[in-house]
Amino acid sequence: CELTGTNTMDRTRLVSLVLALAGAVAAPGVPAQGAQGSRAPWPAAPVRWIVPFAPGGPTDVVSRVVGTRLSERIGQPVIIESRPGAAGNIGAEFVAKAPPDGHTLLFVVPALVTNPSFFKTSLDPAQLAPVIQLNWGLNVLVTHPAFPAKTVAEIIALIKAKPGTVTCGVTGSLFTVGCALLQAHAQAEVIMVPYKGQGPALAALMAGEINVLFNGVITSIAPTKAGRVRAIASTNPRRGRGPFGDLPVVAETFPGFELVAWQGVMAPRGTASDVVLHINREIGAVLEQPDVRQRLNDTGMEVAGGSPDSFAELIRRELATYAKVLKEVGIKPE
């Protein structure tokens, strides 16, 4: 509107008064933009990042490295909270029931997609919204040094020749899938020996209690160099990557064989897509920082990043693949 009959100072005061009144009428006690339906900025409070495993392991290290830098970027504390138990299900269920506002996040690993094949009470991954894949890492097939088979083909031949005699350590996780895949390819029984974790399983292999084990790259380096285990093959899709890049890959014997570890971030289902994308961009920027990339490399993982959709596709694909393989070898949820 046009203002007449007032001096400059009066007009300024009047404009200020009109704007103030307009804001009050539009949304009493709420910023005017809230009345227009726009979302509150993220984050509006500290962010809780739930790690469903005990402190001190690789997940704890990665979450603290990324969480510290994320906090610096968003100007809010990122609180790393360990909620271990039930192979990660306890922490996952906690996040699934949290308000879908982006302020409670979940650290996820492949157990998210293998647990439904092992536990009837496992969380359905569809109850969570994929945010970003943090990284990926290789695994390696190792044997006891005295085990006669020295190649993947020889291991399979031995399994076929003596069904029910070759033992493979399992921990109710991605590494169990590796043993199941060996059995599926051999079409003969492999004795799967359960352990509470990869540490005890590796110790059992070195002691000669089991014959073979799928294990992480980092924890396989020292015992391989010391001659306490023999590294047979990498589970990488192709040769030339990582500390065991000179090894053959299992896929050379069995095309399509792939057993790659990864870590990622998810939020409660129903979290607004713009909030998910915001979190994705902020964490993606953290992953691009050179020192963060180096710290992740030190854990035996390589930075992944990417969109929420690409992470969702990885989860869908592995959920279907592993469920099929584990069902074929007779593993049932308990």
Side-chain angles (χ1 to χ4, degrees):
C1 61
E2 181 179 355
L3 303 177
T4 61
T6 58
N7 58 31
T8 301
M9 181 65 72
D10 290 336
R11 285 199 298 271
T12 301
R13 290 174 178 169
L14 184 56
V15 169
S16 298
L17 178 60
V18 169
L19 292 175
L21 289 173
V25 171
V30 179
Q33 66 175 7
Q36 298 169 0
S38 62
R39 298 185 182 279
W42 180 90
V47 175
R48 299 174 72 183
W49 194 0
I50 306 301
V51 178
F53 304 101
T59 55
D60 189 52
V61 173
V62 173
S63 62
R64 293 187 187 281
V65 170
V66 176
T68 298
R69 292 306 178 85
L70 179 61
S71 178
E72 294 171 359
R73 284 189 60 85
I74 65 178
Q76 286 280 4
V78 174
I79 302 167
I80 309 300
E81 183 177 328
S82 294
R83 284 181 173 262
N89 281 321
I90 289 177
E93 289 173 359
F94 176 82
V95 174
K97 296 175 182 178
D101 56 11
H103 292 94
T104 305
L105 303 175
L106 177 68
F107 193 107
V108 292
V109 299
L112 177 79
V113 295
T114 59
N115 279 349
S117 294
F118 296 114
F119 308 105
K120 292 180 179 179
T121 57
S122 284
L123 179 83
D124 182 350
Q127 291 180 254
L128 297 165
V131 176
I132 190 170
Q133 181 183 350
L134 295 172
N135 51 30
W136 64 274
L138 308 180
N139 297 305
V140 62
L141 174 60
V142 292
T143 70
H144 186 269
F147 188 60
K150 297 181 180 180
T151 67
V152 175
E154 289 178 2
I155 291 175
I156 296 300
L158 187 56
I159 294 172
K160 288 182 175 181
K162 299 180 178 180
T165 61
V166 175
T167 53
C168 187
V170 299
T171 55
S173 64
L174 185 64
F175 300 110
T176 302
V177 176
C179 296
L181 286 169
L182 282 182
Q183 178 167 301
H185 283 295
Q187 296 185 336
E189 184 184 9
V190 172
I191 300 298
M192 300 188 192
V193 184
Y195 293 93
K196 292 184 178 180
Q198 283 302 115
L202 182 60
L205 180 72
M206 291 188 289
E209 297 174 11
I210 54 176
N211 304 134
V212 302
L213 178 71
F214 285 90
N215 195 46
V217 166
I218 291 300
T219 54
S220 298
I221 294 174
T224 299
K225 288 183 176 179
R228 302 189 67 187
V229 304
R230 179 191 296 130
I232 298 294
S234 165
T235 64
N236 192 32
R238 59 186 182 278
R239 294 194 194 200
R241 304 186 70 169
F244 291 95
D246 58 333
L247 283 181
V249 299
V250 181
E252 292 172 11
T253 304
F254 300 113
F257 188 107
E258 186 174 326
L259 200 67
V260 178
W262 48 262
Q263 298 171 337
V265 182
M266 300 184 81
R269 181 174 59 187
T271 303
S273 59
D274 57 340
V275 173
V276 170
L277 287 172
H278 190 164
I279 302 171
N280 174 277
R281 287 192 297 269
E282 293 294 345
I283 295 179
V286 169
L287 296 177
E288 290 300 317
Q289 297 176 11
D291 59 331
V292 171
R293 298 178 75 92
Q294 185 59 53
R295 289 290 302 277
L296 296 190
N297 288 341
D298 290 344
T299 69
M301 309 291 278
E302 293 190 28
V303 166
S307 69
D309 286 344
S310 64
F311 188 31
E313 176 56 31
L314 170 69
I315 292 170
R316 283 193 296 267
R317 183 175 68 250
E318 293 199 347
L319 183 64
T321 298
Y322 296 152
K324 180 176 182 294
V325 169
L326 292 170
K327 183 177 180 180
E328 287 176 350
V329 299
I331 292 178
K332 299 179 181 179
E334 296 180 356

